[in-house]
Amino acid sequence: AVFLGAPMRSQGQHGSHWIPVIGLFIFLFAGLGFSTWKQSQVWHDSRRLWLRVLAINPASSYAYHNLAVEMQRQGNIEGAVRYYRKAVELDPQFVLARHNLANALAEQGKTDEAVQEYNWALQIDPNEASVHNDLGNLLVKKAEWKSAARHFYRAGELNPSASAPWINLGNLMVRLNHPDRAIVYFRQALTIDPDNAQAHSDLGRLLAAQGKLDEAIHQFRAAIRVKPRSADARQGLIHALTERGNKEQAIRQYPIAGKILQSPRTAVNGR
């Protein structure tokens, strides 16, 4: 999910599906023996591998899930959704498959269906932080601010080592014009991840808007130390230095910012 916010890696694994798949691997190794290069080629193509597993065990929800992941990685979202649906049809309790199905549906723009799948996943495992975070991102897109904030906050509680929920809460507070609360959340994110360049930059902008220029400059410089090619941080630094009266320092930043803004990478990535 990529809306205003930062995604989280899923922390869970559907462990009950490892045993049958490992058993299939052993069977494949023993049966095929890898005696020829033609046979071993199957293992160099993830899609062919999981199709081979399904040929042997058509009831493997784990194989359908991994095939869907591979399809999504290749950009075939429609195919991925089809296989994710098959995985959850075979195993309705497969939280990771429901989570990834929701992400794929969100990518297709099927927001209501995606929300339903996220909620199904949370009914099965209410403590899956990454599902709360991704659902929060989707609810922001639906302008359901309070529900989004609640899910971001719960994600942060459940996974204290993740900065993404606090960054997302900060972004949401900026959108709702609550800068003081946004500052608290960005600071929390940086307590967890001191090298998060975007959190430094976003915090710097808020501080600059409040006239706290020295601290804003500190935050922009911290962002640049982590990510020297951040156009967002460079522009923020130039503005803060100018407002602070450090025009010579600001002028020295212009050529660097110009090169970054002209870079094709900046055009693609935005920041």
Side-chain angles (χ1 to χ4, degrees):
V2 221
F3 304 114
L4 69 79
M8 286 174 58
R9 291 181 180 273
S10 175
Q11 301 300 310
Q13 293 232 359
H14 197 64
S16 63
H17 282 257
W18 279 102
I19 295 174
V21 172
I22 291 171
L24 282 170
F25 286 161
I26 294 171
F27 177 83
L28 285 168
F29 272 105
L32 298 177
F34 284 92
S35 56
T36 67
W37 170 250
K38 183 178 180 180
Q39 288 171 327
S40 69
Q41 278 182 316
V42 172
W43 303 88
H44 293 272
D45 182 334
S46 296
R47 182 174 175 274
R48 292 175 63 194
L49 164 62
W50 294 112
L51 287 171
R52 191 63 167 266
V53 170
L54 287 169
I56 296 169
N57 181 8
S60 172
S61 60
Y62 193 85
Y64 274 111
H65 171 267
N66 279 14
L67 183 57
V69 170
E70 181 62 20
M71 298 286 277
Q72 190 169 5
R73 189 182 67 81
Q74 294 176 0
N76 185 349
I77 305 301
E78 185 177 344
V81 167
R82 183 170 63 253
Y83 288 123
Y84 284 135
R85 288 194 191 279
K86 185 64 177 177
V88 299
E89 176 187 325
L90 288 166
D91 182 358
Q93 302 298 306
F94 196 160
V95 174
L96 185 57
R98 285 198 180 275
H99 183 183
N100 286 334
L101 171 58
N103 288 342
L105 288 167
E107 194 169 342
Q108 285 185 318
K110 297 177 179 178
T111 305
D112 291 338
E113 285 185 73
V115 168
Q116 185 177 25
E117 288 299 333
Y118 285 130
N119 283 324
W120 268 110
L122 289 174
Q123 284 186 33
I124 299 164
D125 183 1
N127 296 323
E128 184 56 65
S130 57
V131 180
H132 282 287
N133 187 73
D134 288 347
L135 176 55
N137 278 328
L138 190 55
L139 291 171
V140 167
K141 190 176 183 181
K142 288 170 64 68
E144 296 182 19
W145 315 124
K146 289 184 178 179
S147 293
R150 187 172 65 251
H151 283 288
F152 288 143
Y153 196 87
R154 185 60 179 147
E157 287 182 323
L158 289 167
N159 187 356
S161 65
S163 61
W166 306 110
I167 292 172
N168 289 337
L169 271 168
N171 287 332
L172 179 54
M173 291 304 107
V174 169
R175 180 174 287 203
L176 297 178
N177 196 27
H178 297 307
D180 289 337
R181 293 172 68 183
I183 286 171
V184 170
Y185 291 134
F186 286 133
R187 290 195 193 281
Q188 176 67 16
L190 289 168
T191 299
I192 296 166
D193 181 10
D195 291 333
N196 191 300
Q198 195 56 53
H200 280 296
S201 188
D202 290 340
L203 178 56
R205 287 194 175 278
L206 290 172
L207 293 167
Q210 293 185 343
K212 299 174 181 177
L213 296 173
D214 288 340
E215 192 177 357
I217 289 167
H218 172 77
Q219 294 297 333
F220 289 129
R221 291 195 187 280
I224 290 167
R225 279 197 299 272
V226 176
K227 191 176 178 182
R229 295 188 58 79
S230 171
D232 190 50
R234 292 280 179 188
Q235 289 176 313
L237 179 59
I238 289 170
H239 173 77
L241 287 169
T242 302
E243 289 295 307
R244 183 71 174 76
N246 300 343
K247 293 185 179 180
E248 289 186 6
Q249 291 185 42
I251 289 170
R252 287 200 291 270
Q253 294 294 326
Y254 275 109
I256 304 171
K259 288 180 181 178
I260 294 169
L261 289 169
Q262 291 172 9
S263 166
R265 286 171 58 191
T266 304
V268 171
N269 298 325
R271 291 181 169 183

